[in-house]
């Protein structure tokens, strides 16, 4: 058994990679660890093992009983139970059915058609960043750039009113964080508010349908495609996944470029292919999804090498660790966009696992990549003298084992 793991610890949130490297160095398919909340979990940290577990039907997507739940018999528990009925927490055939209903919204054609709108939104935000720098001398790229862009984009896709997006950010931040990282009751309150919000939003879409995805899902529900509970859960998942991953990608990429000036200069000189490589290497090096959703061993599973996961055990595939596996990636802890250039010095790297794998591959990955490839060059070309305004080793990171990214990236122009 390893030292107690506390995902809410700021030091762990800032740099979990040494801990994961120690687990991975043991060479075991999975390692049982004790969590600070009094529970235990099996963590999968190797690249090969992660792919195998994600493809193994013996590990159910249905969360383990009691995992991360608010107190029993509370309004928060009932709200969370409803909103957690989404496809990431379901097995086939429900998972297949729910995934199929959203696939049409994220086809390459539909996503690529958003490019001009993403460019327009980015230019407006970059102008606001420049205004803050001129007025205050500093700006926070998370609040002024990395958060609002994906929220504006997914808000338009889904039909979420702009005035509601700040509240939704606060509530989704809480439910995606360990309860012990927040004040007592904040997580429970956030689940209740999210449930009430999406209930009201869906009712509004029934009265006043538009061309957005929520309206289409409501129509599909009325025609028998989803039940009301599944619709609520789908609304929550698409909004949460639609901005959280991209926000962390943009924030992490900005921070990495500011702390690797040679790579920033190469990106500026290299054109679209180089910026695409920056996005890809950021996804590998600073995976915005630290881990998958929790899985449950539906039966006893022998993973080999003396590792037997008992039936009912909680299992978490750590995508961030798998994407730094030295057996799969050369110099795994280094930020090297060259590895994702077809004719780069190290050649094309192995696929990372930042967006999952197989049936658990993120449907919104193309949209996230597009936003990164459009927004990052526009930011750094418009503000060529941008530099960090704080010691990067002291920046706070989002706590937890689900999503990961810096909470602040303060910048200035000298």
């Amino acid at each position: 058994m390893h030292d107690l793991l506390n995902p809410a610890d700021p030091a762990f949130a800032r740099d979990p990679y040494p801990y994961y490297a120690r687990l991975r160095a043991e060479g075991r398919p999975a390692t049982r660890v004790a969590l600070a909340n009094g529970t235990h979990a099996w963590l999968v940290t190797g690249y090969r093992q992660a792919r195998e577990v994600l493809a193994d039907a013996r590990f159910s997507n249905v969360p383990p009983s009691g995992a991360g739940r608010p107190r029993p018999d509370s309004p928060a528990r009932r709200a969370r139970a409803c909103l957690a009925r989404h496809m990431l927490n379901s097995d086939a055939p429900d998972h297949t059915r729910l995934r199929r209903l959203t696939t049409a919204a994220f086809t390459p054609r539909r996503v690529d058609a958003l490019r001009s709108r993403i460019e327009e939104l980015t230019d407006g935000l970059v102008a606001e960043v420049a205004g803050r720098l001129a007025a205050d001398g500093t700006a926070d790229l998370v609040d002024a750039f990395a958060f609002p862009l994906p929220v504006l984009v997914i808000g338009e896709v889904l039909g979420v009113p702009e005035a509601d997006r700040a509240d939704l950010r606060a509530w989704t931040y809480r439910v995606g964080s360990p309860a012990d990282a927040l004040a007592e009751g904040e997580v429970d309150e956030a689940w209740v508010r999210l449930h009430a919000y999406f209930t009201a939003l869906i009712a509004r879409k029934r009265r006043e349908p538009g061309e957005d995805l929520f309206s289409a899902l409501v129509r599909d529900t009325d025609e028998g495609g989803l039940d009301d509970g599944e619709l609520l859960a789908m609304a929550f998942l698409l909004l949460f996944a639609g901005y959280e991953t991209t926000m962390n990608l943009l924030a992490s990429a900005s921070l990495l470029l500011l702390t690797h000036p040679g790579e920033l200069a190469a990106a500026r000189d290299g054109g679209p292919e180089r910026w695409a490589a920056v996005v890809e290497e950021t996804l590998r090096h600073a995976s915005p999804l630290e881990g998958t959703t929790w899985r449950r061993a539906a039966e006893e599973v022998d993973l080999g090498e003396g590792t037997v996961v008992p039936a009912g055990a909680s299992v978490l595939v750590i995508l961030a660790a798998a994407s730094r596996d030295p057996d799969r990636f050369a110099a795994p802890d280094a930020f090297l966009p060259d590895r994702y250039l077809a004719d780069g010095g190290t050649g094309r790297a192995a696929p990372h696992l930042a967006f999952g794998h197989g049936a658990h591959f993120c449907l919104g990955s193309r949209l996230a990549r597009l936003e990164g490839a459009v927004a990052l060059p526009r930011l750094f070309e418009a503000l060529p003298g941008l530099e960090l305004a704080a010691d990067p080793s002291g920046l706070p990171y989002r706590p937890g084992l689900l999503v990961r990214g810096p909470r602040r990236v303060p910048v200035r122009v000298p």
Side-chain angles (χ1 to χ4, degrees), residues 232-245:
L232 280 167
M234 187 73 78
F236 164 70
L237 173 64
L238 291 174
L239 181 72
F240 180 82
Y243 88 82
E244 184 81 34
T245 301

Side-chain angles (χ1 to χ4, degrees), residues 50-63:
R51 285 172 61 100
E52 290 175 356
V53 169
L54 288 173
D56 194 330
R58 294 175 295 177
F59 294 101
S60 172
N61 295 324
V62 178

Side-chain angles (χ1 to χ4, degrees), residues 259-300:
T259 53
H260 294 78
E263 296 296 347
L264 176 55
R268 284 185 173 131
D269 295 338
E273 184 183 40
R274 186 80 193 196
W275 283 107
V278 166
V279 170
E280 217 58 40
E281 176 66 346
T282 300
L283 290 168
R284 185 204 66 82
H285 181 274
S287 178
L289 290 175
E290 188 164 350
T292 60
T293 51
W294 288 97
R295 281 165 168 69
R296 174 179 54 84
E299 60 185 75
E300 182 178 278

Side-chain angles (χ1 to χ4, degrees), residues 134-153:
D136 305 326
T138 62
D140 178 8
L141 289 184
V142 175
D143 278 339
F145 172 71
F147 161 65
L149 178 61
V151 164
L152 287 169
V153 172

